[in-house]
Structures are given as structure tokens and as C-alpha cells.
């Protein structure tokens, strides 16, 4: 058990809809990362937060947004969903810097 | 974007065989990490290598960081079915983690 909790585990929704994925980091970790994993593309970095502030952005679409709350949990909002958004979405946390990432078990999003 | 290419992409071997997975980049990293991911779970850290030329052993797994800190290899001796999974390397630069393309390993009993 990594200590990182992601909910929901599975999500099935229709194109055009909006969903929110939630992540609770490991106790004591200030940094939260979001990744998208598709079958043929490995782990794609989306965005990172550190202690409530956005620290880095990767290949995150404008339809996607995220935030980290004062209690350090984070949410990833995906809107105007398209079929191609179907993927596994992982949250990872760390104490910061170069410390290793601890991953949750992901949210599997299926857009129909 | 700092890209890490892993090879091979897929590997299917018999139990007891040896194998090597490669992780290559044109970028220099301050450290490199290896993760293993099993179906339905998130990646789990196996090792971090920091110094150019460093070699670390974890039971039957041997990890090496290239002298120039641009590449790494993972060697598994006498593979077992429990080694099956997706192996991911990640180059660390600043507080950013750049993941490789992944190597899917299947060890057949």
C-alpha cells in the first residue's frame, strides 16, 4: 500500500461530459503529480502541485484543470470529454524535490 | 521535453532466463529511477541511481547508471514469473520526473 488514495477506481461516462478525479496524497507528502497512461503511450505527465501551488505543467489539455487544496488533496477535472480521453489517470505524491514518487492505483476512465 | 527510450518494448521469456532492459536519453539527469507496474496497480519504485557509473543490486536485479548519466540498464538474472510486469525508467531533473516508454516483461513458467 503506497498510502496514496485515488477515487473513483472506475469511471464510465459519455462524450461531452465532465468528471472529477480525486487524490489523497501520502501523509506528509506536499507534492502531487498527475499522469495519464494510455495503452500505447506510457506515462504522460500532466501537472504538478506543491503545497497548494502549481509547480509545473506538462502535456495537459486546456479542457483539463487541477487544483490542490489546503488539506493537500488534489482534484483533476476533465471536461468536454472525448473518446481519446479514455485512459488510466494516476496520481503520485512525494515529499518534494527528487524524492521518489508514490503512486495511487489509478482511476480508469472510459468515455463512450 | 526530455525523452527516454526503453528497449525492448515487449519481452517474453522462459523462467530461468536472463534479460536486460535499456533506458536511453540524450539528456543528462541528476538521478534515474526504475519502477515496476503490475496490472491494476500504480508503478512502484525499485531503485534510484544517482552517481554516473553506479551499480545497484536488488536480489536478482542489477541496475546500472551510465557514466554520463544519460542512460541506464536493468539486468534480471534467472527470471521468475513474479518478475512479470511493466518496467519504467524515470529520469529526474530538478523536481521533474521524465518517464520512459516502458518495457512489458512476461516470464513464462
Amino acid at each position: 500500500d503506497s498510502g496514496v488514495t485515488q477515487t473513483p477506481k472506475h469511471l464510465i461516462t459519455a462524450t461531452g461530459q465532465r468528471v472529477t478525479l480525486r487524490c489523497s496524497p501520502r501523509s506528509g507528502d506536499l507534492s502531487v503529480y498527475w499522469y495519464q497512461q494510455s495503452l500505447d503511450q506510457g506515462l504522460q505527465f500532466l501537472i504538478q502541485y506543491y503545497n497548494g501551488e502549481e509547480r509545473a505543467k506538462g502535456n495537459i489539455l486546456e479542457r483539463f484543470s487541477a487544483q490542490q487544496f489546503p488539506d493537500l488533496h488534489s482534484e483533476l477535472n476533465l471536461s468536454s470529454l472525448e473518446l481519446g480521453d479514455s485512459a488510466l489517470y494516476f496520481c503520485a505524491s512525494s515529499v518534494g524535490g527528487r524524492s521518489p514518487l508514490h503512486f495511487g492505483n489509478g482511476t480508469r476512465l472510459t468515455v463512450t | 521535453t526530455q525523452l527516454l527510450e526503453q528497449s525492448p518494448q515487449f519481452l517474453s521469456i522462459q523462467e530461468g532466463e536472463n534479460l536486460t532492459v535499456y533506458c536511453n536519453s540524450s539528456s543528462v539527469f541528476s538521478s534515474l529511477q526504475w519502477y515496476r507496474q503490475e496490472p491494476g496497480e500504480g508503478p512502484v519504485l525499485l531503485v534510484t541511481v544517482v552517481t554516473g557509473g553506479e551499480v545497484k543490486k536488488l536480489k536478482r536485479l542489477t541496475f546500472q547508471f551510465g557514466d554520463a548519466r544519460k542512460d541506464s540498464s536493468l539486468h534480471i538474472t534467472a527470471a521468475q514469473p513474479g518478475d512479470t510486469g511493466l518496467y519504467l525508467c524515470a529520469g529526474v531533473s530538478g523536481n521533474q520526473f521524465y518517464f520512459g516508454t516502458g518495457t512489458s516483461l512476461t516470464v513464462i513458467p
Side-chain angles (χ1 to χ4, degrees):
Chain A
D1 183 7
S2 68
V4 178
T5 304
Q6 286 189 250
T7 57
K9 191 167 184 176
H10 300 279
L11 200 48
I12 301 174
T13 189
T15 54
Q17 295 298 304
R18 172 190 168 94
V19 297
T20 297
L21 312 183
R22 183 187 169 101
C23 170
S24 293
R26 210 173 55 134
S27 178
D29 285 356
L30 298 178
S31 196
V32 169
Y33 296 75
W34 285 97
Y35 288 88
Q36 180 191 58
Q37 187 177 42
S38 302
L39 272 176
D40 56 352
Q41 289 192 11
L43 278 170
Q44 300 293 319
F45 169 63
L46 295 178
I47 196 164
Q48 178 207 358
Y49 282 84
Y50 181 82
N51 202 21
E53 297 201 358
E54 183 184 301
R55 188 58 76 86
K57 258 186 177 178
N59 299 320
I60 187 166
L61 300 172
E62 286 192 11
R63 301 183 285 109
F64 296 0
S65 64
Q67 52 184 329
Q68 187 179 27
F69 295 86
D71 67 353
L72 300 178
H73 92 270
S74 179
E75 292 181 355
L76 179 66
N77 301 296
L78 314 177
S79 62
S80 303
L81 285 167
E82 302 175 358
L83 295 177
D85 296 328
S86 295
L88 269 168
Y89 290 84
F90 285 102
C91 165
S93 73
S94 79
V95 295
R98 299 181 294 178
S99 299
L101 299 178
H102 300 270
F103 284 83
N105 284 334
T107 293
R108 181 175 292 280
L109 173 67
T110 302
V111 182
T112 61
Chain B
T1 302
Q2 293 162 294
L3 298 175
L4 285 95
E5 294 288 335
Q6 286 184 238
S7 61
Q9 188 177 358
F10 298 97
L11 193 53
S12 182
I13 62 171
Q14 294 291 132
E15 182 176 358
E17 291 183 355
N18 302 332
L19 67 115
T20 302
V21 175
Y22 299 93
C23 172
N24 294 298
S25 175
S26 57
S27 302
V28 176
F29 296 103
S30 58
S31 64
L32 194 133
Q33 299 174 349
W34 284 92
Y35 293 78
R36 180 170 69 207
Q37 183 180 13
E38 298 187 20
E41 298 181 6
V44 175
L45 178 73
L46 295 173
V47 78
T48 300
V49 284
V50 179
T51 307
E54 181 178 0
V55 176
K56 274 193 175 177
K57 290 192 175 183
L58 188 67
K59 297 184 181 177
R60 293 176 295 98
L61 279 61
T62 301
F63 304 85
Q64 184 163 7
F65 200 11
D67 291 341
R69 305 207 313 276
K70 293 182 180 181
D71 52 78
S72 181
S73 64
L74 157 60
H75 182 78
I76 301 179
T77 303
Q80 298 178 0
D83 296 327
T84 292
L86 178 68
Y87 288 81
L88 295 159
C89 63
V92 184
S93 181
N95 63 346
Q96 289 308 304
F97 298 77
Y98 299 90
F99 279 87
T101 47
T103 294
S104 180
L105 171 65
T106 301
V107 181
I108 303 166

